[in-house]
Amino acid sequence: MSPKTICLDKVDSIIDSVGNKQSNLIAILQHVQAEYNYLPSDALVRIGVKMGISPATVYGVATFYSQFSLEPKGKYQIKCCDGTACHVRGSNPVLNAIRVKLGLEDGKYSTKDGLFSIETVSCLGACGLAPVVVINDKVYPQMTPDKIKKTIDDIRNEEEGE
């Protein structure tokens, strides 16, 4: 499963549905990201051209807010907490196990098949359950390297069964 092909007509329809006012830029970026799981550079340029603002301005807004991603994210987005409680209780070995299990080299955050992506976050607000991993809004408490490997295997098995 690779990232969805960019359709500039779809980007145009998002802009038209939200409204072509500069004050709607963030909403447009949110809709485009919801469509593609990230903000493709072609889409950023198209947004700028269609809205009459520089693509550099669009890029600046997209990189300013942490909610936006310029890199494709996987169907399953793994967030590994590295806040104080999680760190003290072993989030680093969990993170390392995820990277090894997914075959992610340093500097890579998404699998080649587009199934998984990973990010480290400062806090997920579940310190009493540390270390915590969240996959697509589902919380996995008291995670260990062995538990996360099994969880990833379970997700892969479900995908293959569909």
Side-chain angles (χ1 to χ4, degrees):
M1 179 176 141
S2 58
K4 193 187 271 190
T5 304
I6 305 311
C7 175
L8 296 179
D9 288 340
K10 180 64 180 172
V11 174
D12 288 348
S13 74
I14 289 170
I15 295 168
D16 292 341
S17 70
V18 174
N20 194 3
K21 296 186 333 191
Q22 284 189 2
S23 60
N24 292 336
L25 178 57
I26 291 175
I28 290 167
L29 293 172
Q30 289 170 329
H31 281 79
V32 171
Q33 182 161 289
E35 179 70 25
Y36 297 106
N37 264 352
Y38 77 113
L39 294 172
S41 60
D42 291 349
L44 296 177
V45 171
R46 181 61 156 236
I47 292 165
V49 168
K50 183 138 171 110
M51 295 182 71
I53 55 179
S54 76
T57 299
V58 177
Y59 179 82
V61 171
T63 57
F64 179 79
Y65 293 100
S66 63
Q67 67 178 299
F68 296 124
S69 174
L70 301 180
E71 297 294 321
K73 290 190 175 185
K75 179 177 180 181
Y76 295 95
Q77 297 174 25
I78 303 171
K79 293 180 182 175
C80 186
C81 184
D82 197 34
T84 303
C86 288
H87 186 82
V88 168
R89 292 185 183 150
S91 63
N92 274 341
V94 173
L95 179 61
N96 291 336
I98 295 168
R99 294 189 69 71
V100 168
K101 183 71 178 172
L102 297 179
L104 295 175
E105 302 167 10
D106 285 342
K108 298 290 181 189
Y109 301 98
S110 296
T111 57
K112 291 177 184 173
D113 63 4
L115 198 56
F116 294 96
S117 60
I118 183 164
E119 68 179 291
T120 305
V121 296
S122 297
C123 185
L124 289 168
C127 302
L129 304 175
V132 175
V133 170
V134 171
I135 304 175
N136 289 4
D137 300 324
K138 181 176 179 184
V139 177
Y140 293 85
Q142 299 169 333
M143 194 50 66
T144 66
D146 288 338
K147 283 183 183 178
I148 194 62
K149 290 176 194 173
K150 182 182 180 328
T151 301
I152 291 169
D153 284 340
D154 290 346
I155 291 170
R156 279 193 173 136
N157 290 335
E158 284 179 31
E159 280 294 314
E160 290 171 6
E162 289 182 359

